[in-house]
């Protein structure tokens, strides 16, 4: 059974392309544990989301490699959350926005912060 927060965190946490390629190869060789460790070493993923990320990679999905791609993925997964984050940012509540994205997606502090900064760096009306 898939943990939806872990899957969401896996889909919106940037992971370098090299780490993705190595983890995919390890998992296809049956070395899933090493694949998970490789992803964790190359990203901010926690153990659960890293396992989900390995499953996604083996299934042929690509993970984001930048905060911009991660934000685009979040927009597709949960546009309502992005709207809430924009409202908080427009009200000057960056810390509340980071807390909300962490609570709703399961990303860690660094991942939540970078998503909020990426969103906040976009001019109003283009978020």
């Amino acid at each position: 059974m898939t943990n939806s927060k872990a899957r969401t965190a896996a889909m919106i946490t940037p992971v370098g392309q090299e780490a993705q390629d190595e983890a995919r190869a390890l998992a296809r060789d049956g070395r899933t544990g090493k694949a998970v460790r490789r992803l964790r070493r190359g990203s901010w993923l926690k153990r659960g989301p890293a396992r989900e990320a390995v499953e996604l990679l083996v299934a042929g999905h690509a993970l984001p490699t930048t905060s911009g791609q991660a934000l685009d993925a979040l927009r597709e997964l949960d546009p309502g959350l992005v709207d809430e984050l924009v409202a908080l940012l427009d009200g000057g509540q960056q810390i509340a926005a980071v807390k909300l994205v962490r609570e709703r997606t399961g990303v860690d502090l660094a991942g939540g912060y970078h998503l909020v900064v990426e969103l906040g760096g976009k001019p109003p009306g283009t978020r």
Side-chain angles (χ1 to χ4, degrees):
M1 184 157 125
T2 299
N3 176 328
S4 64
K5 272 192 179 181
R7 180 152 292 231
T8 300
M11 295 174 77
I12 65 171
T13 300
V15 179
Q17 192 60 54
E18 183 178 328
Q20 290 185 48
D21 294 341
E22 289 176 18
R24 186 181 294 111
L26 286 165
R28 287 185 176 152
D29 288 343
R31 298 162 55 192
T32 306
K34 286 191 178 205
V36 168
R37 285 190 296 278
R38 176 59 184 106
L39 284 183
R40 291 188 71 203
R41 190 174 67 235
S43 70
W44 298 310
L45 288 169
K46 296 178 186 175
R47 188 178 308 135
R51 283 190 213 124
E52 293 290 334
V54 168
E55 287 181 21
L56 289 166
L57 289 171
V58 170
H61 296 280
L63 303 175
T65 57
T66 66
S67 293
Q69 291 175 350
L71 181 56
D72 291 342
L74 181 59
R75 282 188 179 109
E76 288 181 34
L77 290 170
D78 195 344
L81 173 57
V82 174
D83 291 342
E84 290 178 57
L85 294 172
V86 168
L88 287 170
L89 290 172
D90 287 346
Q93 298 181 44
Q94 185 179 26
I95 293 172
V98 172
K99 287 180 180 180
L100 180 63
V101 76
R102 291 187 68 209
E103 181 180 291
R104 296 265 292 271
T105 66
V107 297
D108 70 350
L109 179 59
Y113 171 79
H114 286 284
L115 281 169
V116 167
V117 166
E118 184 71 25
L119 182 61
K122 305 290 183 191
T126 62
R127 295 182 189 159

